[in-house]
Amino acid sequence: AQSVTQPDIHITVSEGASLELRCNYSYGATPYLFWYVQSPGQGLQLLLKYFSGDTLVQGIKGFEAEFKRSQSSFNLRKPSVHWSDAAEYFCAVGNQAGTALIFGKGTTLSVSS
Amino acid sequence: EAGVAQSPRYKIIEKRQSVAFWCNPISGHATLYWYQQILGQGPKLLIQFQNNGVVDDSQLPKDRFSAERLKGVDSTLKIQPAKLEDSAVYLCASRSGQGNYEQYFGPGTRLTVT
C-alpha cells in the first residue's frame, strides 16, 4: 500500500535550535517527494520538492531535505528555527503522471523562546 | 501569476443541508484536484479532473458528493445532504502538467456541519 508516515505528531524546538522532521514513504513507482507547510487558516505552501538528481534539495525559508532511497526517507531540516516557523508540516509523495499526492498526517512544530 | 482561488473561505451549515464550493485554478492548468482535510490529518483526494474529464473519483462519496468542471476551467464541489463527519477543510489544487510536477493549492474552504 502507498503511504507516508510522519512519526512525530508534535515537536517543540527552542528558537535558534536546529530542526529535523522525519518522513518515511512507501510507494510503488518512482517517488516525487514534497514538503508543505500550513499555517493556521491557510492553504498549503510548498517548501521544497525532489524529483531526481542531487538528493539534498534546498527550499524556501532556509529549509532543506535529503532523499535517502535505501531508507525510503525524505527528512526535512533547518539549522536555526525562527518563531515564525511554528506551523504544521506535511510530507507528500506523488509521481510524474500527476496522480493525487499522498500526504502524511503532519507534524505540528511549536517554537519556544 | 494569480494563485488558485476558492470561495467561500468559511461555511457553517446544519446537517442534511446542502453546500457548494467553488474553485478557479491557475490559468492554463489542465489538472484540478479536490482534497478533503479533516482536522488532525493530511489532505486526501476526493476527485481529480484532467481538463473537463474525471481522472480519479474513487474516494468520492458519490451518494452525497458531486463535482463538475464543465468548461475545463473552474470547478464546483457539492455536498448534499451534509453529515457531521463532512466537517473539514476542502482544498483545491491545480497542476499545469507541462513538465511541471508541482501542485498549487488554494486557501481552502473550512466547512462546519452542526
Side-chain angles (χ1 to χ4, degrees), chain A residues 2 9 15 41 44 56 62 69 73 87 90 94 103-104:
Chain A
Q2 300 177 129
I9 296 174
E15 191 169 15
L44 295 167
L56 184 64
R69 185 182 301 276
S73 70
F90 292 94
F103 285 84

Side-chain angles (χ1 to χ4, degrees), chain A residues 38 41 46 49 96 98 101, chain B residues 9 33 35 37 95 102:
Chain A
Q38 187 177 40
L46 181 69
K49 59 196 175 189
Q96 182 179 7
L101 296 177
Chain B
R9 291 295 310 278
Y33 311 81
Y35 290 87
Q37 184 179 18
R95 174 178 175 268
E102 201 174 311

